[in-house]
Amino acid sequence: MKMTEKKPALPPNIRIIPRLDIKGPNLVKGIHLEGLRVLGKPNRFARAYYESGADELLYVDIVASLYGRENLLEIVEKTSREIFIPLTAGGGLRSLEDIQRILRAGADKVALNTAAIHRPELIREAARRFGSSTIVISIEAILRPDGTYEAYTDNGREKTGLDARLWAVRAAELGAGEILITSIDREGTGQGFDLELTRQVAESVPIPVLCCGGAGKVEHVAQAVTEGKAQAVCMASLLHYHFVKHHPLSDQFAEEINLAHLRNGGGSSRIQEVDIPVMKTHLRGRGIICRPANPITTTSLCASPS
Amino acid sequence: MPASKSDNNHFFMRVAIIDYGMGNLFSVQRACEQVGLDSVLATSPETVLAADGVILPGVGAFGDAMEALRQSGLADALCRVTQEDKPILGICLGMQLLMEESFEFGRHPGLGILKGSVIPLQESASSAGHFKVPHVGWSQIWRRSKPTAAVDTWKETPLQNLEDGAYMYFVHSFTVVPESDCSLSTTRYGQNEFCSSLARGNIFACQFHPERSGPQGLRIYQAWAAQLKKSGALL
């Protein structure tokens, strides 16, 4: 009825990607990638996000790079049995063998940061062996006084001297399939994405850009697309705090987590938590096209959104 | 639904997932498991020929994949499987490999099981937005015929349980142009309107990844499994 007529191109569909930071066996959330709080078991969050309409999931082991641990494998293996959307895993992956292992555990893509910066050829080798679409280059950037951005490694601890935008261009040339750009300045603050950083990178590379770090309300997500020109938007606190608030915890589960934090509702005054269906409805209302949440029952939403 | 693979005869349809050393086959295996199919990773022609149905997945470069398929003898095995009219499911690059030739970085002959070629997606930027290549993300698949048409072209195909306009997950830079009229669905991406799935005889192939397309994608596996069982009963 609709597809056979020619009409002006709709905007590209954007993706909503919950980001789950992992420390040991737990889902954690910090500010500027520091000051971590334990939120719970990652698989529980992952399953809920899958069921409520997440387009992909992103797991990042935020201590693996510092200590060389690989808790991620186990978590990825468990999650990938339960969810049927793309799963990206990153943190502490240093070699082709590391990438192979995490893919075998069930990840669809890997996010590389530190190892790729130390040895850019890894991108080319990994893209050749596993396919470009499997390799996501993660860039963590901090604003410099002159208005440019510098890429950091090890969760924003180590300077690299690399210009974030130029590094993104180089990574794309070497065969990266996507760029994940995180503003360390904004990460965990709820103040909104660094739109300038996102746009600079998105307009400089031919491959999709995933924007990360700073979402505090739904409007920030919309801005990442309209002003930041991102092809996908990652968020953590926004969704995690909503989940924690609305899902009563079992005692066994509660023992393992930061109770005081959760008694406060898990919220932060800057974060206006939201779930994925509400977020997507809001985005679609603003003319931003994305796959509707909960696609099984909402067939009416599957109609061409024009 | 059985939760794990077992060695007893609980699953009687055995599916060979072609493994030529590229990409993540785990999600394809998991989707098979979810719909009650017993799957094995096939690196040899014997495993492929012994199976009731074959899945040809794939990520990466067309030329490398064809090279690997030919060297391992899997290419010949696949052609024999089609002659025997066993069900084949081609996914993403696997769909493209079924065609006669690809124009990905030069010109490469494909398996030639289906008539047609593989051409690049066109990048486009307009006021509507920037359609980057590769196309990564969720897009809708549409019936080629009007839903009001007398014959439902998705009936008795793996798409039979889907609504027109269902969202599927895509990751690709190239797209298939089938010569004959075997296209089941089309998808739009910027200026491109391409064939996102096709069927001919017992072959079904899709450019998207049904195993990564949520519950809707699993319905495709479910319908394919039913088709497999039906065809197994006939053989």
Side-chain angles (χ1 to χ4, degrees):
Chain A
M1 70 201 136
K2 294 185 172 170
M3 203 48 215
T4 44
E5 304 156 19
K6 287 282 174 202
K7 21 174 216 190
L10 293 166
N13 290 3
I14 60 103
R15 289 169 276 155
I16 297 299
I17 308 178
R19 170 176 171 148
L20 296 95
D21 287 342
I22 304 304
K23 183 186 179 190
N26 292 316
L27 173 69
V28 295
K29 191 66 201 94
I31 295 177
H32 307 304
L33 297 177
E34 302 269 19
L36 303 175
R37 288 165 158 179
V38 172
L39 294 180
K41 288 279 176 273
N43 300 92
R44 205 161 168 260
F45 288 77
R47 200 166 52 238
Y49 296 151
Y50 165 62
E51 283 167 1
S52 63
D55 296 318
E56 292 186 30
L57 292 180
L58 169 63
Y59 270 135
V60 181
D61 188 334
I62 58 170
V63 291
S65 210
L66 296 174
Y67 304 104
R69 282 180 290 180
E70 291 178 51
N71 292 294
L72 198 56
L73 277 174
E74 208 173 306
I75 293 167
V76 162
E77 189 156 8
K78 194 165 177 200
T79 301
S80 60
R81 291 184 180 280
E82 299 174 337
I83 63 141
F84 293 92
I85 51 174
L87 176 61
T88 303
L93 305 175
R94 296 158 197 270
S95 62
L96 293 176
E97 289 66 39
D98 287 349
I99 296 170
Q100 171 105 324
R101 282 177 71 202
I102 202 87
L103 292 177
R104 291 245 154 125
D108 299 284
K109 315 181 209 183
V110 292
L112 305 176
N113 177 7
T114 308
I117 283 181
H118 289 164
R119 202 172 69 80
E121 274 301 306
L122 178 65
I123 302 174
R124 195 197 301 276
E125 293 162 12
R128 174 140 195 102
R129 177 140 159 215
F130 306 106
S132 270
S133 60
T134 306
I135 310 303
V136 179
I137 294 304
S138 168
I139 302 177
E140 293 170 349
I142 291 181
L143 181 64
R144 290 193 280 219
D146 68 352
T148 63
Y149 295 86
E150 180 171 349
Y152 278 64
T153 60
D154 298 290
N155 305 317
R157 286 182 184 84
E158 300 293 327
K159 292 166 81 78
T160 65
L162 287 174
D163 179 276
R165 189 183 69 81
L166 296 177
W167 169 231
V169 171
R170 174 96 199 281
E173 287 167 359
L174 285 166
E178 293 175 275
I179 301 287
L180 167 66
I181 183 83
T182 304
S183 162
I184 300 286
D185 302 311
R186 299 298 182 90
E187 207 281 328
T189 65
Q191 292 171 338
F193 295 98
D194 189 327
L195 300 173
E196 179 60 28
L197 168 68
T198 309
R199 188 175 60 246
Q200 275 189 19
V201 174
E203 288 182 344
S204 302
V205 296
I207 55 178
V209 168
L210 290 57
C211 159
C212 189
K217 53 184 180 179
V218 176
E219 186 51 29
H220 292 152
V221 179
Q223 285 170 351
V225 176
T226 56
E227 294 171 47
K229 311 291 181 193
Q231 277 71 44
V233 189
C234 304
M235 64 220 62
S237 311
L238 201 57
L239 298 173
H240 299 342
Y241 291 157
H242 186 276
F243 180 83
V244 167
K245 207 170 182 177
H246 295 271
H247 290 78
L249 306 163
S250 73
D251 290 340
Q252 187 206 347
F253 178 70
E255 274 172 24
E256 301 168 28
I257 60 177
N258 185 338
L259 282 171
H261 175 52
L262 292 180
R263 282 200 198 98
N264 295 335
S268 150
S269 57
R270 289 207 199 90
I271 308 286
Q272 294 171 25
E273 70 269 10
V274 66
D275 65 9
I276 293 172
V278 168
M279 181 188 300
K280 287 197 164 183
T281 303
H282 176 92
L283 293 175
R284 288 167 76 88
R286 292 219 21 199
I288 294 169
I289 312 296
C290 53
R291 163 186 173 243
N294 198 2
I296 298 181
T297 52
T298 53
T299 46
S300 59
L301 285 175
C302 288
S304 181
S306 56
Chain B
M1 200 67 70
S4 64
K5 251 169 76 167
S6 65
D7 292 330
N8 62 29
N9 291 326
H10 188 83
F11 304 118
F12 44 91
M13 300 312 289
R14 178 160 279 236
V15 174
I17 302 171
I18 304 273
D19 181 4
Y20 47 91
M22 289 191 75
N24 170 17
L25 305 180
F26 183 87
S27 57
V28 176
Q29 285 180 285
R30 274 292 297 124
C32 285
E33 197 176 299
Q34 195 73 13
V35 299
L37 290 174
D38 191 8
S39 67
V40 286
L41 296 185
T43 52
S44 74
E46 293 73 31
T47 318
V48 173
L49 294 171
D52 301 303
V54 179
I55 299 181
L56 179 59
V59 296
F62 190 99
D64 291 348
M66 271 312 296
E67 183 65 26
L69 286 176
R70 265 195 227 100
Q71 282 190 359
S72 56
L74 290 167
D76 287 340
L78 274 165
C79 293
R80 265 188 66 188
V81 166
T82 33
Q83 282 157 16
E84 292 169 8
D85 206 27
K86 281 186 190 167
I88 294 185
L89 168 57
I91 300 166
C92 197
L93 179 65
M95 178 198 205
Q96 300 175 2
L97 291 167
L98 294 172
M99 310 313 283
E100 291 167 302
E101 61 179 346
S102 169
F103 294 92
E104 179 178 333
F105 309 119
R107 190 170 177 167
H108 304 275
L111 291 167
I113 290 170
L114 295 173
K115 283 198 183 306
S117 55
V118 182
I119 61 163
L121 272 178
Q122 299 302 315
E123 184 184 347
S124 61
S126 68
S127 55
H130 191 180
F131 290 83
K132 292 188 168 184
V133 174
H135 167 212
V136 184
W138 296 76
S139 289
Q140 288 172 285
I141 62 168
W142 302 94
R143 278 178 173 77
R144 281 182 64 230
S145 58
K146 290 180 178 157
T148 50
V151 181
D152 176 4
T153 48
W154 286 7
K155 201 181 169 191
E156 289 176 9
T157 75
L159 302 183
Q160 64 184 352
N161 298 323
L162 297 180
E163 296 283 333
D164 207 29
Y167 280 79
M168 295 291 154
Y169 186 79
F170 290 81
V171 184
H172 64 128
S173 302
F174 291 81
T175 162
V176 153
V177 186
E179 220 169 71
S180 61
D181 196 26
C182 58
S183 172
L184 276 187
S185 69
T186 58
T187 292
R188 278 189 79 174
Y189 183 68
Q191 302 302 311
N192 307 278
E193 183 163 1
F194 62 90
C195 167
S196 47
S197 68
L198 57 80
R200 204 204 64 197
N202 256 338
I203 301 169
F204 172 77
C206 49
Q207 186 58 65
F208 50 86
H209 290 267
E211 66 284 351
R212 279 297 173 240
S213 296
Q216 302 271 53
L218 288 180
R219 287 183 182 189
I220 295 180
Y221 272 89
Q222 213 157 29
W224 190 70
Q227 186 185 329
L228 195 64
K229 282 170 187 165
K230 209 164 130 190
S231 111
L234 294 176
L235 285 176

